[in-house]
Amino acid sequence: MATQSQFPVPARVIAAFDFDGTLTQRDTFVPFLAHLSWTRLLGALLQAAPALTGFAVRLRSNEYAKMALCRAALKGRSRAELAHVARAWVHTIPLRPTLVERLRWHQQRGDHCVLVSASPDIYLEEVSRYLGFDDLICTRMAVDGQGRLTGGFDGANCWGPEKMRRLIERFGSQDQYELHAYGDSRGDQWMIDAAQHAWYRGQAVKP
């Protein structure tokens, strides 16, 4: 599986799929944290409560709140250990059959399929392999010299306009390919607007 790169990859058709709520039946980030440790997750939610509350009342950004939770729940965890846990856990994620069928349709056509998500690479790398994606664009977690998470991000949170910016960075300007986009939330709207063909919440909005 190819991963994010600074070098453009020529492709005639790009099929960009959001993950949470699009390919899945629910959010996956909090369930993954719970799978790691319910006790640590509860403590992290308490610690990050001011930032999460600030986001809920629109005084803090999505990125600020998410980083606060990541820092509280994941700082100091081994990157290799998390990958090992994720490898078994991804098989338990409830997927949406209709969207998985769309993914298989693109794969059978030979389109370049990209998973584009605000969720973190600590488990999306395993998800991407499991579902057979050609590329992964997502929020990257920063690690220290010992391979442990710092709790911060390596780059920006991959949400909203950042998704489209990363697609252009990866594949070049939009006149170089035909974009099919699949999403389910406001964070996907920039991909949906830019695509020639798009599905939103399971429905074709740009056939």
Side-chain angles (χ1 to χ4, degrees):
M1 179 198 73
T3 55
Q4 299 171 78
S5 167
Q6 61 181 329
F7 302 109
V9 173
R12 186 181 64 84
V13 176
I14 306 294
F17 285 80
D18 169 59
F19 188 56
D20 293 300
T22 299
L23 279 165
T24 74
Q25 297 179 20
R26 65 184 187 199
D27 172 75
T28 57
F29 180 49
V30 171
F32 180 70
L33 296 181
H35 180 75
L36 292 174
S37 170
W38 265 109
T39 303
R40 182 160 180 172
L41 172 59
L42 291 175
L45 288 170
L46 287 173
Q47 188 176 336
L52 296 173
T53 302
F55 170 65
V57 298
R58 300 186 178 183
L59 294 177
R60 292 292 188 178
S61 68
N62 173 286
E63 183 165 358
Y64 181 90
K66 184 175 178 179
M67 190 177 294
L69 180 58
C70 286
R71 188 177 297 112
L74 294 169
K75 185 177 180 179
R77 297 295 299 254
S78 163
R79 183 72 174 76
E81 174 198 352
L82 293 177
H84 177 74
V85 172
R87 199 166 297 124
W89 179 77
V90 297
H91 298 272
T92 70
I93 297 172
L95 300 173
R96 294 188 184 277
T98 301
L99 270 296
V100 173
E101 287 178 11
R102 288 296 297 181
L103 171 61
R104 300 304 179 218
W105 179 76
H106 281 290
Q107 290 170 331
Q108 289 166 9
R109 293 199 332 161
D111 299 337
H112 198 83
C113 297
V114 189
L115 185 59
V116 187
S117 174
S119 292
D121 57 355
I122 54 175
Y123 62 87
L124 279 190
E125 287 185 357
E126 296 301 327
V127 168
S128 184
R129 292 188 184 95
Y130 174 56
L131 293 176
F133 277 95
D134 300 300
D135 259 294
L136 169 64
I137 294 174
C138 66
T139 301
R140 300 184 295 262
M141 300 300 298
V143 296
D144 62 20
Q146 286 71 51
R148 296 187 176 278
L149 272 63
T150 67
F153 298 156
D154 179 10
N157 182 38
C158 190
W159 183 91
E162 179 68 10
K163 289 188 174 186
M164 200 60 225
R165 189 195 70 77
R166 298 253 198 113
L167 280 168
I168 293 172
E169 178 184 64
R170 178 76 177 97
F171 299 105
S173 60
Q174 292 168 249
D175 60 358
Q176 297 181 35
Y177 49 88
E178 178 182 296
L179 179 62
H180 294 241
Y182 297 82
D184 80 303
S185 70
R186 187 167 65 91
D188 303 313
Q189 196 61 54
W190 286 261
M191 286 200 312
I192 298 295
D193 290 345
Q196 290 93 337
H197 306 279
W199 282 45
Y200 187 74
R201 296 183 178 176
Q203 301 296 321
V205 293
K206 291 184 180 180

